[in-house]
Amino acid sequence: MLEQVGLLVASPWIYAAVAVSVLLDVFLPVLPSGVLVIMAATAAAAGTATDVPDVLALTLCAATASVLGDLVAYRLAWRGGARLDRAISRSRRLTTAQERLGAALAQGGGALVVLARFAPAGRSVVSLGAGAAHRRARDFLPWSALAGLTWAAYSVALGYFGAHWLGASWAATAVSVGALFGAGAGAAYVMRREPRTS
């Protein structure tokens, strides 16, 4: 199986695999899109200038797929109607997340959207919540683009520099994936904290 993963990472199909994985993980947060991006970046660090994947292309591919996935989730939730509203209202966590997102976007601060991109399932909650709450696309999409680019650049940098510092090995990939999960845990912790009232 490791040999098949290695063949995928070293072929042009890696871009399609990354794009599909990142695009769909807004709906299936268990997809290992971050791990796949890190593995591809590790392979890029080990290769030559003519090898696949290219770090810049990989970053742009992951960022674009992230924004497209957010947009699809946003539009589906926008059209979700009363059924989706009832589902959200039954969950205290989703209701709270939707309220916090609305307040953040209304105040012109979409840092929550960027932070949520790193938290497990945070991207899903934010994209679906923004659509269900009928937030304006011009308030949400620029922050989604920044979130996607930040996440993609961070993930690629972890794999690329991890391979340079630790060698292009499974150990370097594991350390880089651990750093990605650490950022996700930190983002989830910050998002769960109750906002301070003044």
Side-chain angles (χ1 to χ4, degrees):
M1 178 170 168
L2 294 179
E3 185 177 321
Q4 292 172 333
V5 171
L7 290 174
L8 172 66
V9 168
S11 78
W13 286 103
I14 188 61
Y15 299 118
V18 164
V20 169
S21 179
V22 172
L23 189 125
L24 293 179
D25 81 359
V26 71
F27 301 105
L28 302 167
V30 296
L31 285 177
S33 58
V35 175
L36 188 58
V37 171
I38 287 173
M39 288 173 56
T42 301
T48 64
T50 59
D51 287 341
V52 172
D54 176 73
V55 174
L56 180 59
L58 182 62
T59 303
L60 293 176
C61 176
T64 302
S66 179
V67 176
L68 289 176
D70 288 355
L71 181 59
V72 169
Y74 169 85
R75 294 304 296 170
L76 287 174
W78 183 285
R79 297 177 182 184
R83 188 172 165 187
L84 182 63
D85 291 340
R86 284 193 303 274
I88 289 174
S89 67
R90 284 194 296 265
S91 169
R92 187 179 63 81
R93 177 179 275 175
L94 287 175
T95 302
T96 302
Q98 193 177 42
E99 290 168 359
R100 289 182 71 187
L101 173 66
L105 291 176
Q107 295 169 1
L112 179 65
V113 177
V114 177
L115 188 62
R117 183 60 185 92
F118 289 84
R123 173 185 180 210
S124 306
V125 170
V126 166
S127 298
L128 293 170
H134 292 239
R135 301 290 169 206
R136 294 180 303 182
R138 68 180 181 198
D139 292 337
F140 172 69
L141 285 180
W143 291 105
S144 170
L146 179 61
L149 185 59
T150 303
W151 174 83
Y154 179 72
S155 300
V156 168
L158 283 176
Y160 187 80
F161 292 114
H164 276 293
W165 293 329
L166 302 172
S169 66
W170 288 106
T173 302
V175 169
S176 298
V177 168
L180 182 66
F181 287 159
Y189 172 77
V190 171
M191 289 179 64
R192 276 195 303 263
R193 285 180 28 202
E194 291 296 323
R196 294 182 180 178
T197 56
S198 40

